[in-house]
Amino acid sequence: NMTWAAAVLALIFIAWVLLAVIDRHEFYTTGRFDGYDSALAFGRAIPHGALRLWWLAEISAHRFGIMWGVFGIPYDRMITFHKMSGRLAVLFMTLHAVVMLGKRNVHGYTLDAKFSVNTINMLPGLLAWLASLVVALSALPVIRRKYFEVFYALHFNFKFFMTVLMILHAPRWVIPFSAGLLVSFYFDACLRFYTKAMCGAKLLSATVVADDSKNNVQVARLEIEKASLENVNHWHPGSFVMMSLSGPIKGAMGIPAAGLFHPYTIASPPSSKKIVVMVRNMAAGSGQWSDQVFEMSKGGAAQATVRLGPCMGRLEIDPAEFSTVVLCCGGIGVTPMASLWGEIALAHQQKYSKVKRVKLYWSVRSQQLVTAFAEWFEYASQCPSVEWDLNVFMTGQQGAAQAVGGAGPAGIPQSSFDPNTMQAGQAVHMQNYGQPGGPAIVVPNTGGYIINGAAFGGGIPANVTVKEGRPNFTALLEDCVAKTPSGEYVGVFSCGPAAMMADVAGACSRHSRVFTHQESFEW
């Protein structure tokens, strides 16, 4: 899934790193250094590769950096470069530290030597290596996904400490690399600060749309007024936005809430003229950011102040080029897929006239989550020129609280509230209609509504086929390709757990007429 520009750039950097290590290894084995064997020469040469990998890891994380402006590589793809080069840099630094500590009696550098800008200083180097381990460990998915604030504080603070210590360790070699990075970083930081400060976005509503503790699915829906800055408003299906909320939301790790920006995929299609973000509670009851957002949304009031960064990320293959578009997703991974099928429906005549068939295969545990996306299924019903095949595979335990249909909760007759007279997706409060109950979000054309995640008077939209068990992607794609006329191509887009996306990729590799994009961005 790598573009030609990204592949060429990756080869250039690999060659740059290897040539630097080979050149310095030859330098240290020319006889100028007494007692240097091949292992010590390697230990002295490999940090020159680590420096270049560190430079790439840093430059690829800049949102307004040259990678996007010059090479057109999306930020979500650059994050892949960032993680790969960063991990390799830490590995190279570890090899360097092991060799240098093991050979310290040969090379003559000691931890208690007097500091000098004209030579190598061992103690700062050792501390820089330890800081790099903290940077790498804090970025592991188990920390980054469940304890984002911890990742945010440790990763960025220790990265700064590591850079300073690297300069103190080997000023002659590190300063030329760090000088350019500092200029690029502060230019990028100033642009990001200006964007977030001047975006003019406003939180319109915050509503719980799924609260299924049995299946560990808690999701809040945030609707945000379009920002005043164009680069915040302009997004593609699959794009994400950096978002912070302050007010009722508290900060963490010494960072104020206004400065804690979390990346979230924009669920609404670009043509819908609104920004909708679905926030899944990653740690219920923990008081962490997503848990605070979920609890705030139970009140139904949009009391928080929202700040948005620029919209980033785009699909690597254009769905407009395919006659058959297949969407494979798991759980909340439906979010970018919903934006995509919604955009195909809303802008079919303008952009997606080639698309004749759209097939959705969504593996999900909670019926409440399916009901929460009823608004997006409604988009499909508004575009009869496309053959829609929307399939939901239920894998979780469905309880009585998620039963489809019913007259509504006790004390609220169905006839007293007609969601079909209101705008699809509109956030309301039952008390405004003389009814008991809390915040609700209108579910269009299902004759029902949602109160704090529980569906009443409606359920899964009529244009959705519900099946039990997990999808067999190999068989499903075989059928899709067989039903796509000769000379036409199939575009497959996937987002979900790594195992699911591996299954999709394996199924796609069997067919020459299938092109695939994996929406795997995460922090």
Side-chain angles (χ1 to χ4, degrees):
N1 289 327
M2 187 176 290
T3 63
W4 281 107
V8 170
L9 196 61
L11 289 174
I12 291 174
F13 273 107
I14 291 172
W16 187 36
V17 170
L18 291 177
L19 289 174
V21 174
I22 293 171
D23 175 71
R24 299 313 299 178
H25 184 271
E26 291 183 354
F27 175 78
Y28 290 119
T29 55
T30 56
R32 304 180 188 180
F33 300 89
D34 294 336
Y36 272 42
D37 56 14
S38 182
L40 183 53
F42 173 78
R44 290 292 303 271
I46 201 168
H48 293 272
L51 267 177
R52 286 153 178 82
L53 289 167
W54 166 68
W55 184 89
L56 175 59
E58 289 296 316
I59 205 72
S60 59
H62 295 173
R63 294 169 181 78
F64 291 95
I66 61 173
M67 300 303 180
W68 166 249
V70 177
F71 298 100
I73 302 174
Y75 180 70
D76 49 344
R77 177 55 58 186
M78 290 313 305
I79 284 294
T80 302
F81 281 97
H82 172 75
K83 292 191 290 188
M84 291 171 56
S85 55
R87 291 165 182 169
L88 282 174
V90 173
L91 174 62
F92 279 28
M93 292 174 70
T94 301
L95 293 173
H96 171 62
V98 169
V99 173
M100 294 302 287
L101 289 173
K103 298 278 188 176
R104 61 185 180 275
N105 295 329
V106 178
H107 55 65
Y109 299 111
T110 60
L111 293 174
D112 58 353
K114 185 178 179 180
F115 176 80
S116 172
V117 296
N118 299 316
T119 187
I120 302 297
N121 300 288
M122 282 284 286
L123 183 58
L126 178 62
L127 296 176
W129 169 56
L130 295 176
S132 75
L133 295 179
V134 176
V135 171
L137 293 174
S138 66
L140 292 175
V142 66
I143 297 177
R144 187 179 68 247
R145 296 204 67 191
K146 291 190 175 182
Y147 307 98
F148 187 86
E149 292 83 359
V150 175
F151 154 74
Y152 201 92
L154 293 180
H155 195 71
F156 291 97
N157 286 325
F158 274 84
K159 187 165 60 174
F160 172 78
F161 297 147
M162 181 188 74
T163 303
V164 173
L165 290 166
M166 285 170 59
I167 292 174
L168 295 176
H169 171 58
R172 174 187 171 189
W173 299 108
V174 179
I175 288 177
F177 283 92
S178 59
L181 283 178
L182 286 174
V183 174
S184 176
F185 171 79
Y186 282 108
F187 175 76
D188 175 75
C190 289
L191 285 177
R192 283 189 282 121
F193 178 81
Y194 172 79
T195 300
K196 294 168 182 176
M198 304 298 292
C199 72
K202 180 182 178 181
L203 182 62
L204 298 177
S205 65
T207 312
V208 170
V209 292
D211 190 2
D212 182 0
S213 57
K214 179 177 292 186
N215 290 298
N216 191 28
V217 176
Q218 294 183 326
V219 179
R221 178 189 189 274
L222 307 183
E223 184 169 335
I224 303 168
E225 184 179 48
K226 270 199 166 186
S228 56
L229 288 182
E230 184 57 31
N231 66 338
V232 177
N233 287 336
H234 186 65
W235 75 91
H236 307 271
S239 292
F240 68 96
V241 65
M242 300 296 294
M243 176 180 66
S244 77
L245 293 168
S246 57
I249 306 299
K250 299 178 182 179
M253 302 290 291
I255 304 173
L260 275 175
F261 283 83
H262 293 69
Y264 276 93
T265 299
I266 300 176
S268 49
S271 297
S272 66
K273 309 302 181 184
K274 61 183 176 182
I275 297 176
V276 175
V277 174
M278 296 291 200
V279 177
R280 181 187 174 191
N281 190 353
M282 300 298 295
S286 66
Q288 295 183 37
W289 191 86
S290 61
D291 187 46
Q292 291 185 62
V293 173
F294 183 80
E295 293 299 321
M296 175 196 74
S297 301
K298 288 182 177 179
Q303 301 173 346
T305 299
V306 62
R307 293 175 177 83
L308 301 178
C311 297
M312 294 174 286
R314 63 174 60 192
L315 304 174
E316 293 181 348
I317 57 176
D318 186 358
E321 297 299 320
F322 303 97
S323 63
T324 300
V325 172
V326 181
L327 310 174
C328 306
C329 47
I332 198 65
V334 73
T335 306
M337 303 297 109
S339 177
L340 176 53
W341 89 63
E343 184 67 2
I344 291 175
L346 294 179
H348 185 254
Q349 296 301 321
Q350 295 83 1
K351 301 178 184 178
Y352 299 98
S353 58
K354 281 188 178 181
V355 178
K356 302 173 183 177
R357 295 163 292 276
V358 175
K359 297 179 180 293
L360 170 69
Y361 304 117
W362 180 15
S363 176
V364 62
R365 289 181 294 176
S366 173
Q367 179 184 298
Q368 291 186 27
L369 188 57
V370 181
T371 309
F373 279 85
E375 176 185 352
W376 283 262
F377 291 114
E378 172 66 11
Y379 290 139
S381 67
Q382 297 172 5
C383 184
S385 55
V386 172
E387 178 187 328
W388 299 93
D389 183 16
L390 307 175
N391 301 275
V392 171
F393 293 80
M394 304 301 301
T395 61
Q397 300 178 8
Q398 305 306 314
Q402 297 168 277
V404 178
I412 307 182
Q414 177 66 27
S415 59
S416 67
F417 182 75
D418 183 8
N420 293 316
T421 64
M422 308 185 71
Q423 181 180 357
Q426 180 178 351
V428 299
H429 201 285
M430 297 304 296
Q431 292 179 357
N432 294 339
Y433 294 86
Q435 305 292 341
I441 183 132
V442 176
V443 178
N445 292 343
T446 63
Y449 50 93
I450 298 173
I451 299 179
N452 281 349
F456 299 103
I460 293 179
N463 59 345
V464 176
T465 300
V466 180
K467 303 175 181 179
E468 292 185 358
R470 300 184 181 277
N472 183 335
F473 292 111
T474 300
L476 292 170
L477 284 174
E478 287 277 0
D479 182 66
C480 289
V481 173
K483 293 180 179 179
T484 300
S486 177
E488 297 181 3
Y489 294 90
V490 178
V492 178
F493 302 82
S494 64
C495 183
M500 187 213 78
M501 290 201 293
D503 288 343
V504 174
C508 292
S509 65
R510 300 168 180 263
H511 305 283
S512 60
R513 290 196 293 151
V514 172
F515 294 82
T516 181
H517 166 82
Q518 291 186 337
E519 187 74 10
S520 57
F521 174 80
E522 64 172 29
W523 286 67

